[in-house]
Structure formats: C-alpha cells, structure tokens
C-alpha cells in the first residue's frame, strides 16, 4: 500500500479532528485513487506526479468508479474526498477543474411522535432480556428526546452520572454541547441502569452490549430495521431519523433556528436550515390530506 493515504488519514484524525468513520472513508478513497493512477499511468505515483494530475485523469478515475456502480451522490462525495486528498498531498498545485455530478437535494423524513413511541416499544418488546429492553427503550428515547446522533449516544460514559436537567455531549470534531434532558428520558436511562447487571463506573460506557462491552450502533440499527418491518414503517425509519424528527418537531413548535443549530451541534447554520424545508413539506402534506379541495 502507498504510504500517502495512511499519512493523510493521520492528518485528518490529528489535525482536522475528523470522526473515525470519515477518516476511514477518506483514506479508502485516497487508496482507490492511488491504485487507479498506478494502473492508469503504468508506474509509481509520486507527489510530483500528483501535482500534475490532469482533469482527464480525474475524469477517468470517476468513470471507473461509476462503472463500478456508484450513483451521483457517491460520485460527488468521491470527488470531494479526492480534492481534499490532492490539496493535502500536493499543496500549492492547482486542483483539476472537474464538475461533479448533479445531486438532487432531499430533505430528511421526520417520524410522527406516535410512531416514535410505537417503534421504541416494538424494539423493547423483542429484546432478549428485561435490562436489554430497558436499554433499547432508553437509547431510542434519548435519540428523539435530545436529538443525539447514535454515535454520540454510544460514546456516553458513566461520568455523565448522576443525570440532571441537561447532558454534555461530545459530537463531531470533538465539539461539546449541552442538550436538555427530558424527565421521561432521564427516567428511562435510570431504569435501564437499575436493571443492567454490569454496574456503573465513570470510565465505562453508559450503554452496554449483551456481554458487557460497549454497545455497538449496529445492534440498535438492526433492532430498528426489524421493528419497522413489523410495524409497516418506511425504510427511512432509522435511528438517525429520530434526530431529524427531534429537529422538525421543535421547529414546528416555534424553536429558533440558531437555538436548534446549537442543540444539534451543527457547525454551520446551513446544515440546520434544511429543517425549514422539512417543516414546510410536512405542513403541505397535512394540507393535502386535510383540505377538501387539495
């Protein structure tokens, strides 16, 4: 393997404070590019050659990736990752000007509050033990009640105890924020803690897996997939959709956009503004179903 992608990954992790998931994705993209260029150029890929990368070279790489079956959104992300890698590997050189594919912008699909509760109940009902049922119920209520990303919930440690009216959360790029903790969510977490057999310590994960280790996000995702199928909910009903629902329902009840940005931990307001489109879409859907002339 060429050493540049691994060095780039270290740069992203150490200097840019990117998440482990982002680092893996960007490193994999850099490795694909280096492998392609070695075949494309028929020789070793050096920093000097990267600095002379042409638009035709980059288009050929994207054509290869499209031939492998990736869609417009994935191709656009691939192009963005490649540009970041080239900017780091060959600073000062002009990046090839290649127009990315058009990506249709969508809006997140919120889940109705009753469906959130039904989903959490269904997941809990299928749990193998009472403490696991309490854990899954608490996790899903936390995602909806506080707008957490699932990775943020999994990263909570016993040091957050005792629970109060707010919770300190560490999000993307190690950015911390304070989120309100609803009494119902606090009760759900405390009930789970009273039932789980592993005990609680400040340096241990708050949410445990069946064998006592850290709870993996994939466990919750699989449980939600099964529950949504049994309930007849759409494929977009995911743990992350609970965060979208949190934002949409707050905005629909008059929450300030700046306050919502802080609660969600978005670095820019543009990331939060997507929820104004969600709210408008929801109101239009209600209108169409309720108005006799719609």
């Amino acid at each position: 393997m060429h050493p540049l992608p691994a060095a780039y990954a270290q740069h992203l992790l150490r200097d840019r404070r990117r998440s482990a998931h982002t680092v893996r994705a960007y490193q994999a993209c850099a490795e694909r590019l280096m492998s392609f260029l070695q075949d494309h150029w028929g020789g070793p890929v050096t920093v000097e050659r990267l600095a002379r990368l042409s638009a035709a070279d980059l288009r050929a790489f994207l054509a290869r990736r499209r031939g492998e079956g990736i869609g417009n959104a994935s191709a656009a992300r691939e192009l963005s990752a490649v540009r970041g890698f080239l900017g780091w590997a060959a600073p000062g050189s002009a990046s090839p000007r290649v127009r990315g594919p058009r990506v249709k912008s969508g809006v997140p699909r919120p889940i109705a509050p009753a469906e959130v509760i039904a989903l959490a109940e269904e997941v809990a009902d299928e749990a193998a033990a009472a403490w696991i049922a309490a854990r899954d119920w608490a996790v899903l209520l936390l995602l909806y009640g506080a707008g957490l990303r699932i990775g943020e919930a999994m990263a909570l440690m016993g040091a957050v105890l005792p629970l109060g009216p707010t919770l300190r959360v560490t999000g993307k790029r190690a950015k911390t924020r304070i989120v309100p903790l609803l009494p119902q969510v606090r009760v759900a977490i405390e009930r789970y803690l009273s039932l789980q057999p592993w005990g609680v310590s400040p340096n241990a994960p708050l949410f445990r897996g069946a064998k006592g280790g850290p709870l993996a996000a994939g466990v919750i995702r699989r449980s939600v997939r099964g529950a949504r199928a049994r309930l007849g909910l759409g494929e977009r009903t995911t743990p992350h959709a609970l965060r979208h629902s949190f934002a949409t329902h707050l905005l629909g009840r008059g929450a300030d956009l700046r306050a919502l940005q802080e609660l969600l931990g978005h670095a820019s307001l543009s990331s939060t503004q997507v929820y104004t489109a969600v709210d408008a879409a929801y109101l239009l859907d209600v209108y169409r179903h309720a108005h006799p002339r719609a």
Side-chain angles (χ1 to χ4, degrees):
M1 300 296 291
H2 199 286
L4 274 179
Y8 180 52
Q10 287 299 313
H11 159 71
L12 291 175
L13 196 62
R14 182 185 62 246
D15 303 328
R16 300 295 301 277
R17 295 166 63 187
R18 295 298 181 92
S19 70
H21 175 76
T22 299
V23 170
R24 285 194 301 271
Y26 277 47
Q27 181 177 356
C29 179
E31 288 171 350
R32 284 192 294 269
L33 176 68
M34 299 295 280
S35 176
F36 168 80
L37 290 176
Q38 185 164 332
D39 293 338
H40 186 62
W41 288 338
V45 181
T46 63
V47 172
E48 291 75 19
R49 293 206 72 179
L50 282 176
R52 300 194 301 273
L53 184 79
S54 68
D57 294 328
L58 193 48
R59 278 194 291 267
F61 170 69
L62 290 175
R64 165 76 67 82
R65 294 290 291 135
R66 295 302 292 266
E68 293 169 353
I70 66 171
N72 282 3
S74 296
R77 285 194 296 268
E78 195 92 352
L79 180 58
S80 175
V82 163
R83 284 172 174 158
F85 172 63
L86 293 175
W88 170 84
S93 61
S95 180
R97 303 191 70 173
V98 174
R99 180 178 294 179
R102 281 188 157 189
V103 179
K104 184 179 179 181
S105 60
V107 294
R109 296 285 182 88
I111 306 171
E115 291 180 344
V116 173
I117 299 303
L119 182 72
E121 288 177 341
E122 182 67 22
V123 168
D125 286 346
E126 291 295 312
W131 76 268
I132 294 178
R135 178 200 69 191
D136 293 352
W137 172 262
V139 168
L140 294 176
L141 285 196
L142 180 61
L143 299 185
Y144 175 64
L148 269 61
R149 302 174 178 94
I150 190 168
E152 293 169 344
M154 300 300 96
L156 291 173
M157 305 295 283
V160 301
L161 302 175
L163 297 173
T166 61
L167 185 67
R168 181 179 293 274
V169 178
T170 301
K172 289 185 175 180
R173 304 186 188 183
K175 182 181 178 182
T176 61
R177 68 185 188 278
I178 303 296
V179 298
L181 196 61
L182 295 173
Q184 301 94 317
V185 179
R186 188 163 64 246
V187 167
I189 296 174
E190 288 171 345
R191 181 173 182 274
Y192 148 69
L193 292 172
S194 70
L195 294 175
Q196 63 100 333
W198 309 105
V200 180
S201 67
N203 298 319
L206 184 66
F207 294 111
R208 305 285 194 110
K211 296 183 179 180
L215 175 62
V219 172
I220 299 298
R221 291 192 181 102
R222 283 194 298 273
S223 297
V224 168
R225 278 199 299 270
R228 79 184 180 212
R230 292 189 295 273
L231 293 172
L233 300 176
E235 290 186 359
R236 293 197 180 189
T237 303
T238 65
H240 198 67
L242 300 181
R243 172 175 159 88
H244 294 322
S245 302
F246 163 84
T248 305
H249 297 158
L250 282 183
L251 192 62
R253 289 176 173 264
D256 175 75
L257 203 58
R258 283 286 182 186
L260 189 57
Q261 178 189 0
E262 291 296 321
L263 288 173
L264 292 170
H266 284 160
S268 66
L269 189 60
S270 62
S271 299
T272 311
Q273 285 174 328
V274 67
Y275 292 103
T276 61
V278 172
D279 192 52
Y282 173 72
L283 291 176
L284 186 58
D285 187 55
V286 170
Y287 168 81
R288 285 173 175 162
H289 283 83
H291 198 283
R293 299 289 183 182

